[in-house]
Amino acid sequence: MTAVDAPRAADDVAAVPIFEGRDLVVDYHSRGQVHRALNRVSLSIAEGEAVGLIGESGSGKTTLARTLLGLIRPVHGQVTFRGQDVYALKSVPRYRMLGRDASLVFQDPRSSLNPRLTVGAVVRDPLTVQRIGTRAQRAARVAELLESVGLPAQLMSRPVRALSGGQLQRVALARALAVEPGIIVADEPTSALDVSVQAQILNLIQQVRATRRLALLVVSHDIRVIRYLTDRTAVMYKGEIVELGPTAEVHDHPQHEYTQTLLTSVPSLSRWPA
Ligand SMILES: Nc1ncnc2c1ncn2[C@@H]1O[C@H](COP(=O)(O)OP(=O)(O)O)[C@@H](O)[C@H]1O
Ligand SMILES: [Mg+2]
């Protein structure tokens, strides 16, 4: 057992990261070719911390997020969640453990949420799957969750397809919060939304984080989203993290040539989000 794996004293529990990925390698196989999507990537996320993953399309951001979440088994390296080796577990206990404590918000709520379900069913689903509360408690909780993301509780009887994109992303956030997770992983959470709505959703994510101890992993190709939401930024390029540091530092004094290129293509941040 290495020092990192050793059990810790009770007063040191906060020092255990929520997620820790060490030396991760992920390969995709298609048409007889092997594509290395992650090449020895390490990233840890502390409790309550907001970490951003930035990089161009195809750089491996989604792959890293999904590997941390127990959805893609790496060919090399290790993921721990609150100290537990994620891939040492079989899939059912793995999903059960992570589903109770780590939630995912997708880019496009229109395609990630079933349009035929009611809003209430969508938000309630994680509670049912994790067997949290009685029926009555779940119903009350759904109303509370909708209100916490700025939606009227009456919306719970409406079908998903009747809502706007911005409303749907609020529903996705309410669903993500249902299990009271320690972390939300948001993969391009505003990319599919109108610009005016993007700012509202980013504000909402900030507001939600301010009221509970919630870590955040935000994946985005947009440095403005990362700058607005995160404490620490990892810059990905061709399957590797080429730069990692405090968000303001990475933004103001980028060290890697690729980060510098990424930043020069962005308009002024001073008035964003409006
Ligand atoms: N299921 C898959 N099968 C084969 N290749 C994939 C698969 N998913 C992603 N890739 C490839 O892996 C690389 C990283 O993809 P991804 O993690 O989605 O990047 P990003 O989220 O940064 O855009 C890309 O080259 C992509 O084409
Ligand atoms: Mg992606």
Side-chain angles (χ1 to χ4, degrees), residues 56-58 60-63 107 187-188 219:
E56 65 192 5
S57 176
K61 306 182 297 295
T62 295
T63 302
Q107 170 169 2
D187 194 347
E188 306 273 6
V219 173

PDB file of all heavy atoms in Angstrom, residues 56-58 60-63 107 187-188 219, ligand 2:
ATOM      1  N   GLU A  56      -9.467  22.165 -27.444  1.00  0.00           N
ATOM      2  CA  GLU A  56     -10.241  22.129 -28.682  1.00  0.00           C
ATOM      3  C   GLU A  56     -11.013  20.818 -28.788  1.00  0.00           C
ATOM      4  O   GLU A  56     -10.749  19.857 -28.052  1.00  0.00           O
ATOM      5  CB  GLU A  56      -9.311  22.311 -29.883  1.00  0.00           C
ATOM      6  CG  GLU A  56      -8.342  21.158 -30.037  1.00  0.00           C
ATOM      7  CD  GLU A  56      -7.233  21.454 -31.041  1.00  0.00           C
ATOM      8  OE1 GLU A  56      -7.167  22.590 -31.547  1.00  0.00           O
ATOM      9  OE2 GLU A  56      -6.437  20.545 -31.303  1.00  0.00           O
ATOM     10  N   SER A  57     -11.946  20.799 -29.708  1.00  0.00           N
ATOM     11  CA  SER A  57     -12.743  19.609 -29.965  1.00  0.00           C
ATOM     12  C   SER A  57     -11.822  18.436 -30.316  1.00  0.00           C
ATOM     13  O   SER A  57     -10.886  18.584 -31.097  1.00  0.00           O
ATOM     14  CB  SER A  57     -13.703  19.921 -31.121  1.00  0.00           C
ATOM     15  OG  SER A  57     -14.408  18.766 -31.438  1.00  0.00           O
ATOM     16  N   GLY A  58     -12.055  17.283 -29.682  1.00  0.00           N
ATOM     17  CA  GLY A  58     -11.247  16.104 -29.963  1.00  0.00           C
ATOM     18  C   GLY A  58     -10.015  15.978 -29.079  1.00  0.00           C
ATOM     19  O   GLY A  58      -9.251  15.020 -29.197  1.00  0.00           O
ATOM     20  N   GLY A  60      -9.913  15.325 -25.918  1.00  0.00           N
ATOM     21  CA  GLY A  60     -10.039  14.265 -24.910  1.00  0.00           C
ATOM     22  C   GLY A  60     -10.789  14.681 -23.651  1.00  0.00           C
ATOM     23  O   GLY A  60     -10.841  13.928 -22.679  1.00  0.00           O
ATOM     24  N   LYS A  61     -11.411  15.839 -23.676  1.00  0.00           N
ATOM     25  CA  LYS A  61     -12.092  16.366 -22.480  1.00  0.00           C
ATOM     26  C   LYS A  61     -13.226  15.454 -22.016  1.00  0.00           C
ATOM     27  O   LYS A  61     -13.309  15.079 -20.845  1.00  0.00           O
ATOM     28  CB  LYS A  61     -12.664  17.776 -22.769  1.00  0.00           C
ATOM     29  CG  LYS A  61     -11.647  18.770 -23.292  1.00  0.00           C
ATOM     30  CD  LYS A  61     -12.259  20.143 -23.508  1.00  0.00           C
ATOM     31  CE  LYS A  61     -13.367  20.215 -24.545  1.00  0.00           C
ATOM     32  NZ  LYS A  61     -12.923  19.909 -25.917  1.00  0.00           N
ATOM     33  N   THR A  62     -14.101  15.109 -22.954  1.00  0.00           N
ATOM     34  CA  THR A  62     -15.238  14.257 -22.604  1.00  0.00           C
ATOM     35  C   THR A  62     -14.754  12.885 -22.154  1.00  0.00           C
ATOM     36  O   THR A  62     -15.274  12.312 -21.192  1.00  0.00           O
ATOM     37  CB  THR A  62     -16.204  14.136 -23.805  1.00  0.00           C
ATOM     38  OG1 THR A  62     -16.755  15.434 -24.058  1.00  0.00           O
ATOM     39  CG2 THR A  62     -17.339  13.164 -23.523  1.00  0.00           C
ATOM     40  N   THR A  63     -13.744  12.367 -22.825  1.00  0.00           N
ATOM     41  CA  THR A  63     -13.187  11.062 -22.452  1.00  0.00           C
ATOM     42  C   THR A  63     -12.664  11.092 -21.020  1.00  0.00           C
ATOM     43  O   THR A  63     -12.932  10.172 -20.235  1.00  0.00           O
ATOM     44  CB  THR A  63     -12.059  10.656 -23.428  1.00  0.00           C
ATOM     45  OG1 THR A  63     -12.600  10.623 -24.756  1.00  0.00           O
ATOM     46  CG2 THR A  63     -11.478   9.294 -23.082  1.00  0.00           C
ATOM     47  N   GLN A 107     -24.391  18.444 -22.522  1.00  0.00           N
ATOM     48  CA  GLN A 107     -24.386  19.635 -23.369  1.00  0.00           C
ATOM     49  C   GLN A 107     -25.786  20.033 -23.827  1.00  0.00           C
ATOM     50  O   GLN A 107     -26.192  21.177 -23.696  1.00  0.00           O
ATOM     51  CB  GLN A 107     -23.514  19.344 -24.588  1.00  0.00           C
ATOM     52  CG  GLN A 107     -23.592  20.395 -25.670  1.00  0.00           C
ATOM     53  CD  GLN A 107     -22.522  20.179 -26.719  1.00  0.00           C
ATOM     54  OE1 GLN A 107     -21.748  19.233 -26.652  1.00  0.00           O
ATOM     55  NE2 GLN A 107     -22.475  21.062 -27.684  1.00  0.00           N
ATOM     56  N   ASP A 187     -20.643  18.755 -18.923  1.00  0.00           N
ATOM     57  CA  ASP A 187     -19.914  18.675 -20.188  1.00  0.00           C
ATOM     58  C   ASP A 187     -20.524  19.670 -21.185  1.00  0.00           C
ATOM     59  O   ASP A 187     -21.620  19.454 -21.685  1.00  0.00           O
ATOM     60  CB  ASP A 187     -19.972  17.240 -20.739  1.00  0.00           C
ATOM     61  CG  ASP A 187     -18.968  17.025 -21.863  1.00  0.00           C
ATOM     62  OD1 ASP A 187     -18.418  18.016 -22.384  1.00  0.00           O
ATOM     63  OD2 ASP A 187     -18.732  15.852 -22.230  1.00  0.00           O
ATOM     64  N   GLU A 188     -19.828  20.742 -21.425  1.00  0.00           N
ATOM     65  CA  GLU A 188     -20.310  21.813 -22.320  1.00  0.00           C
ATOM     66  C   GLU A 188     -21.741  22.206 -21.952  1.00  0.00           C
ATOM     67  O   GLU A 188     -22.647  22.158 -22.800  1.00  0.00           O
ATOM     68  CB  GLU A 188     -20.266  21.357 -23.795  1.00  0.00           C
ATOM     69  CG  GLU A 188     -18.911  20.846 -24.273  1.00  0.00           C
ATOM     70  CD  GLU A 188     -17.986  21.948 -24.779  1.00  0.00           C
ATOM     71  OE1 GLU A 188     -18.347  23.141 -24.658  1.00  0.00           O
ATOM     72  OE2 GLU A 188     -16.894  21.610 -25.263  1.00  0.00           O
ATOM     73  N   VAL A 219     -16.495  20.981 -18.358  1.00  0.00           N
ATOM     74  CA  VAL A 219     -15.795  20.759 -19.612  1.00  0.00           C
ATOM     75  C   VAL A 219     -16.284  21.801 -20.603  1.00  0.00           C
ATOM     76  O   VAL A 219     -17.498  21.966 -20.762  1.00  0.00           O
ATOM     77  CB  VAL A 219     -16.139  19.351 -20.155  1.00  0.00           C
ATOM     78  CG1 VAL A 219     -15.553  19.163 -21.545  1.00  0.00           C
ATOM     79  CG2 VAL A 219     -15.658  18.281 -19.196  1.00  0.00           C
TER      80      VAL A 219
HETATM   81 MG    MG B   2     -16.568  16.686 -25.660  1.00  0.00          MG
END
